[in-house]
Amino acid sequence: KSFTNMLNDYVYKWDKTDKFQFIGYNSRFDEDFLRQFFINNADNDKDKMYGNGYGCYFYTPSLDVMQMAALKLMDNRKDLINFKLETVCNYFGITEENWHDAKADIRATKKLFKELLR
């Protein structure tokens, strides 16, 4: 309840044009956890079946920065040893002081997203 109350401070869940856009690196991984969170906290079987309101707060589909990078780097993929966030960011000259810290990963993903949109 406290999580959805916080979301309600920013989104009017009954307005189909007022939603969060879920953006992340390999966003489906995190989106699946969040969807399961809504299901696990459903009050009844109907809410469990429909995800207990995930769609009331978030647009579908999420935007996956990893997929955007894969498209942009399709011809240069051989130049990367893996496709981890840090590796892809380094390819574009994006650095962070503390990789794998949640806030650093968010900052890096945001920078990469903006770079890929250019």
Side-chain angles (χ1 to χ4, degrees):
K1 296 284 182 204
S2 63
F3 181 65
T4 55
N5 286 339
M6 180 196 62
L7 296 177
N8 288 332
D9 288 342
Y10 301 96
V11 166
Y12 180 62
K13 70 179 189 176
W14 303 118
D15 181 351
K16 292 182 179 186
T17 65
D18 187 23
K19 307 288 177 226
F20 292 105
Q21 179 62 66
F22 197 101
I23 303 172
Y25 195 81
N26 194 14
S27 63
R28 185 61 190 256
F29 177 82
D30 297 303
E31 181 184 354
D32 286 347
F33 277 101
L34 188 54
R35 284 180 178 277
Q36 192 61 50
F37 173 84
F38 274 88
I39 291 168
N40 290 349
N41 289 285
D43 293 328
N44 55 57
D45 289 338
K46 182 180 177 186
D47 283 347
K48 280 187 180 185
M49 186 167 65
Y50 292 106
N52 194 28
Y54 174 89
C56 292
Y57 295 101
F58 297 93
Y59 287 119
T60 299
S62 62
L63 297 180
D64 190 344
V65 179
M66 179 189 258
Q67 292 292 328
M68 293 171 64
L71 182 61
K72 180 86 170 191
L73 295 170
M74 199 165 29
D75 294 333
N76 301 81
R77 182 64 165 87
K78 65 186 179 317
D79 299 332
L80 285 80
I81 59 170
N82 58 48
F83 221 71
K84 294 178 182 178
L85 176 61
E86 181 178 0
T87 305
V88 175
C89 283
N90 285 335
Y91 183 87
F92 286 101
I94 298 166
T95 60
E96 279 295 327
E97 288 183 26
N98 189 16
W99 288 103
H100 303 295
D101 169 79
K103 287 183 182 180
D105 287 358
I106 291 167
R107 283 191 305 270
T109 300
K110 184 177 179 180
K111 291 174 190 175
L112 179 59
F113 178 71
K114 288 181 177 184
E115 175 66 27
L116 292 169
L117 289 177
R118 291 188 320 122

